[in-house]
Amino acid sequence: TVGLAVDGTPMKITSVAGGFPAAQTFLEVKALEVAMAVENGADEVDMVINIGAAKEHNWDLVREDMKAVIDAARESSRYVKVKVIIETCLLTEEEKIRMCDIVSKSDAVFIKTSTGKNGIAATPEAAVAMCLAIRQFAEKTGRKVGFKAAGGISTAESAALYYSIVEEILGEEWLTPERFRIGASSLANNLLSEIEGREIKYF
């Protein structure tokens, strides 16, 4: 149904998969779930890192999980973008930077702050740390990974703050849908309400 609704438009179908929101399931299940999402029309897939492995600093297992999910998304004939959620509220500053480096070295196209399911979601502090890590990786390798802030961003002022962080640290070339996104379901409703002058709950 969603596919029919967006067919012929520039809109894309995004699905969470891979054991969202905690990623605490068998690797085979994660890969199968992603493959099924793609088979059913997903153009983009949002996955969550293996938090347990990250907290144990088992970086090889984190990479293995990520590779299995990304490979499952790419096995179709279509190009499917994968966004990797690192769940910043559960990571230390050092772990956030390490995860940004690991995701940047993978075939993922976006690093996303959070699921919004674990207390504190996106924070400006986490955004700064992530954007600095993304910039450093881009300067070293030329690969420019996208940044997505998600969770708790519900006002125009908060959205503008994340926009400013990206503009200041990563530059104007990141201010496109291909490299910068905001998780905006509640934000969209609030913006529409301000524009229309009445409460709107479209999303």
Side-chain angles (χ1 to χ4, degrees):
T1 303
V2 175
L4 293 174
V6 303
D7 190 34
T9 77
M11 292 180 65
K12 301 295 183 183
I13 300 171
T14 300
S15 174
V16 295
F20 185 91
Q24 298 301 298
T25 188
F26 298 105
L27 187 54
E28 294 82 1
V29 173
K30 295 178 186 180
L32 179 59
E33 186 180 2
V34 170
M36 291 175 69
V38 173
E39 183 180 343
N40 283 277
D43 299 297
E44 300 184 3
V45 170
D46 287 17
M47 67 163 289
V48 185
I49 63 165
N50 186 322
I51 296 292
K55 295 306 294 182
E56 293 174 350
H57 295 183
N58 187 345
W59 307 120
D60 286 340
L61 182 54
V62 171
R63 292 186 190 93
E64 180 185 347
D65 259 39
M66 200 179 304
K67 185 177 187 307
V69 168
I70 294 173
D71 286 350
R74 297 286 170 80
E75 285 176 0
S76 72
S77 58
R78 296 180 295 111
Y79 176 76
V80 177
K81 293 181 178 180
V82 177
K83 299 192 285 295
V84 178
I85 305 167
I86 67 172
E87 203 67 292
T88 54
C89 65
L90 300 179
L91 303 179
T92 65
E93 290 304 303
E94 182 181 343
E95 289 165 350
K96 289 171 196 170
I97 293 169
R98 185 63 179 269
M99 279 309 313
C100 286
D101 184 64
I102 290 172
V103 177
S104 295
K105 289 176 179 175
S106 74
D107 287 329
V109 296
F110 268 88
I111 306 173
K112 184 175 172 181
T113 57
S114 39
T115 62
K117 306 293 185 183
N118 281 301
I120 299 172
T123 66
E125 294 79 10
V128 168
M130 292 172 69
C131 287
L132 286 171
I134 290 170
R135 185 181 73 185
Q136 184 177 43
F137 188 83
E139 288 171 349
K140 284 182 179 179
T141 68
R143 175 165 150 73
K144 298 172 181 178
V145 184
F147 169 73
K148 181 171 181 178
I153 303 170
S154 59
T155 66
E157 291 78 11
S158 60
L161 174 58
Y162 287 98
Y163 182 97
S164 298
I165 289 170
V166 172
E167 183 178 34
E168 179 69 23
I169 296 174
L170 295 173
E172 290 188 7
E173 62 183 316
W174 255 267
L175 299 178
T176 70
E178 288 72 35
R179 291 192 186 142
F180 175 47
R181 309 259 185 100
I182 295 176
S185 54
S186 57
L187 171 63
N189 285 334
N190 290 336
L191 289 176
L192 287 171
S193 297
E194 288 186 28
I195 293 168
E196 294 290 331
R198 59 187 175 87
E199 186 178 15
I200 294 178
K201 294 183 177 179
Y202 186 79
F203 296 97

